[in-house]
Amino acid sequence: MSGEMTSVSTEAVAARPKRSYLPELISWLILVAGLIVLPSYGSVYVVYMVCLIAINVIATVGLNITVGYTGLLSIGHSAFLGVGAYASALMWMHLGTPLIVNMIVGALAAFAIGLVFGIPALRIRGVYLAIATLAAQYSLYFIFQQWTSVTGGDRGLSLPRIDVFGLGDTGFYYVVMLTMLVTCIAARNIFRTRVGRSFIAVREKDYAAEVLGINVIRTKLIAFGIGAAYAGVAGSLLAVFLRIVNPDQFTLVVSVFFLAAVVVGGRASILGSIMGAVFMTLMPEILRFVLEHATPEGADLARLLSPLREILFGALIVGFLIFEPRGLVGLVRRAFGDTETVEARAGEH
Amino acid sequence: MLMQILEFSLIGVASGGIYVLAALSFVIVYKATNIFNFATGEMMMFGTYLFFMFDTQLGLGWIAGLAAAFIGSAGLAMILERGLLRPLIGRPAVVLVMVTLGVSSILRGFAGVIWGPDVRQLTEILPRKPIFLGDILIPGKLAWGFVIIGLIAAAFMAYYRFSRAGTAIRATSTDQVTAESLGINIRAVFLLSWALAGVLTCASGIITASVNGVTPQLGQVALNVLAVVMLAGMTSVGGVVIAGLFVGWLETMVGAYLGASWQSFIPYLVVLLVMLIKPTGLFGERRIERI
């Protein structure tokens, strides 16, 4: 390599952090400050939506650890949300344990159930995990629905209102925000550790990872289990948030929703998961708004809404995979003049 | 008692027929293009709706309706291959699988928008009159459906085994590069195998729906089909027939003697056991690698 080129490239590398870190930090701080003061100024609807988005962010980050970072396809994510939701709801109803304990139990339960489905599938290369998680989706739905004495069957479980720090719903809002913050930072930091790096190594080339001394099967299991545990945390928050848990919250459509959030936001990017979850949570609302104003009077909106959502979820997955594999994060980077498309395609996973 | 077991067995094997056709469609796509098609169930559902549209809604009659539905399904499958999957060749398997999953969601959504969530009944093509074998009674639709499935499966397998195109597909599945260097048009093989898959799924969907009608959720039998494919070993055309009939039989027997609610666990159980004990399936090639 010529000296000139080296100097150019080091300059470019040196220039980058200066340009990007400070504004990024400031915008994150503004966002956090905004979220802290939001309950005092925002309407009930806004607070509700922000809560829902935050819960979806947690679940999406979890799925991204499995799908984006480790390259394992899970199409039963909502079933693990369900495990967390039922576990924490049952804990609360029968034992009256505090929310934090319920969240941990929800995470552990989802982790354990995840391993039940993951262990047979992850010993083999290929897309077997996808089949196993599809089986998890159907069989866990079936258990939620049929084990009436515990899960309440189709009617599900109704939970009492929760009171955190004596602040009521606002207190719960802060709990959700704090959990989101902690889980996102934890996810970001895990990829600076040995374990997290080994996830990426396994995704890139499992043989090479094995040669480097990484236990591939154990790494895959941990990655899948962590993804399920994130879903468990999100599920236990969702149970408290909606104050009802029933089987229809945890269907295949919901799993496709989270997969779409990962793909749309950007695989292997925490920021991407956040953007994807925000986008995908708001999209059905926008769709409903558009439909209400675009369709003639008397058209049956409810009948159209759910299939239209399915079309949109599917089309977003397919469209982003074909045209922008880096997701919204890639679009934003490109908008800021960072055109690494060729490199991104080559290094895609 | 013995008579009853025999009766349930026959019914079970007959109902396994629909799995055979759908699983054949899956296997041919997997063999030729190496794509794991999670949209198989939704292709079944959509083909059935096409038949419903041409036959009942447009009033073409069932013969023309059937032909139009087959052509429509084949066309749809070819559009999927050419438009969505071809541009992704060379990308990781996970990406391709995700695309088929997205496609299944899109198809389900379109069926919901166009035909609504309610059950639609198809024209009765198959005779209802039950068939008696001695004292054993088999519902007419099931028996005739099974006969038709047998004919279609036999025709498909003969085409696959003996025709030039079938040989080209098999050559491609053995070694793409060698096949291409011997003058086989790989792109045409991809298109053809998807078209065949479209026709097979459409036929299996119509026969499935001839009993209970069609809803956008018809594709949920996909899990059963996956169980069949796993048991057979993903790549075995002959194995799929045996595995399909076996899974149908197992499901009916379990439903009859343990209760219908246990039935839904069968595909899951089969999938899990195959993964644990013999990931290559019973008849599969040793393409599967442990790591």
Side-chain angles (χ1 to χ4, degrees), chain A residues 71 73 75 117 120 123-125 127-128 131 135 138 142 207 217 259 303 307 310-311 314-315 321 325 348-349, chain B residues 36 91-92 94 97-98 101-102 105-106 108-109 117-118 223 230 261 264-265 268 272 275-276 288-291:
Chain A
L73 183 56
I75 51 183
F117 290 90
R123 294 180 314 137
I124 328 161
R125 295 181 84 203
V127 287
Y128 289 89
I131 304 173
Y138 285 127
F142 180 76
Y207 284 131
I217 297 173
L259 196 64
R303 274 171 87 100
E310 285 194 272
I311 295 176
L321 283 176
E348 203 218 346
H349 22 273
Chain B
F36 199 98
R91 300 268 291 275
V94 170
V97 175
M98 274 197 258
L101 200 71
S105 183
I106 295 174
R108 220 169 29 236
D118 308 316
L223 186 60
M230 296 270 309
S261 52
S264 352
F265 271 122
Y268 160 61
L272 207 64
M275 279 185 196
L276 274 175
I288 289 142
E289 297 158 87
R290 283 164 191 272
I291 188 150

Side-chain angles (χ1 to χ4, degrees), chain B:
Chain B
M1 183 62 194
L2 194 68
M3 225 44 190
Q4 201 191 18
I5 293 179
L6 202 62
E7 184 171 334
F8 282 135
S9 296
L10 281 174
I11 291 176
V13 169
S15 61
I18 47 168
Y19 300 151
V20 172
L21 285 191
L24 277 177
S25 134
F26 178 93
V27 167
I28 185 142
V29 166
Y30 186 71
K31 277 189 87 122
T33 67
N34 259 323
I35 289 168
F36 199 98
N37 183 11
F38 264 107
T40 305
E42 272 64 28
M43 280 166 65
M44 274 170 80
M45 177 270 298
F46 209 81
T48 313
Y49 269 120
L50 285 180
F51 173 65
F52 172 76
M53 182 179 83
F54 288 123
D55 175 31
T56 311
Q57 290 181 316
L58 300 180
L60 293 179
W62 69 268
I63 298 176
L66 212 53
F70 283 163
I71 294 169
S73 303
L76 179 73
M78 283 158 82
I79 291 171
L80 292 182
E81 200 280 324
R82 186 67 193 84
L84 302 180
L85 295 165
R86 184 82 59 86
L88 292 170
I89 284 178
R91 300 268 291 275
V94 170
V95 170
L96 291 162
V97 175
M98 274 197 258
V99 167
T100 65
L101 200 71
V103 166
S104 76
S105 183
I106 295 174
L107 289 179
R108 220 169 29 236
F110 269 115
V113 168
I114 301 172
W115 293 287
D118 308 316
V119 180
R120 305 289 196 136
Q121 295 298 338
L122 303 182
T123 324
E124 301 217 345
I125 308 173
L126 303 170
R128 219 174 233 291
K129 201 165 154 275
I131 290 176
F132 290 95
L133 295 171
D135 286 339
I136 299 170
L137 177 151
I138 300 172
K141 283 183 177 175
L142 203 59
W144 287 111
F146 186 69
V147 171
I148 293 168
I149 286 168
L151 291 177
I152 296 174
F156 168 75
M157 280 160 81
Y159 180 73
Y160 184 68
R161 185 81 189 74
F162 299 114
S163 76
R164 263 184 92 81
T167 313
I169 295 177
R170 281 185 292 137
T172 308
S173 104
T174 311
D175 191 330
Q176 257 179 38
V177 176
T178 313
E180 176 121 58
S181 66
L182 289 174
I184 290 170
N185 184 347
I186 303 278
R187 290 173 193 82
V189 166
F190 282 14
L191 274 179
L192 176 70
S193 47
W194 273 89
L196 286 173
V199 173
L200 285 169
T201 46
C202 179
S204 88
I206 292 171
I207 294 167
T208 312
S210 70
V211 182
N212 289 326
V214 53
T215 71
Q217 307 307 322
L218 182 84
Q220 278 195 3
V221 295
L223 186 60
N224 304 33
V225 175
L226 281 178
V228 170
V229 172
M230 296 270 309
L231 185 63
M234 301 262 199
T235 48
S236 165
V237 168
V240 150
V241 176
I242 299 168
L245 299 180
F246 174 73
V247 169
W249 174 80
L250 192 66
E251 212 181 15
T252 309
M253 294 308 267
V254 167
Y257 289 103
L258 290 176
S261 52
W262 287 96
Q263 219 169 337
S264 352
F265 271 122
I266 289 301
Y268 160 61
L269 203 67
V270 170
V271 163
L272 207 64
L273 283 179
V274 171
M275 279 185 196
L276 274 175
I277 297 165
K278 201 167 184 306
T280 47
L282 294 178
F283 313 97
E285 296 160 14
R286 298 219 156 267
R287 272 196 200 172
I288 289 142
E289 297 158 87
R290 283 164 191 272
I291 188 150

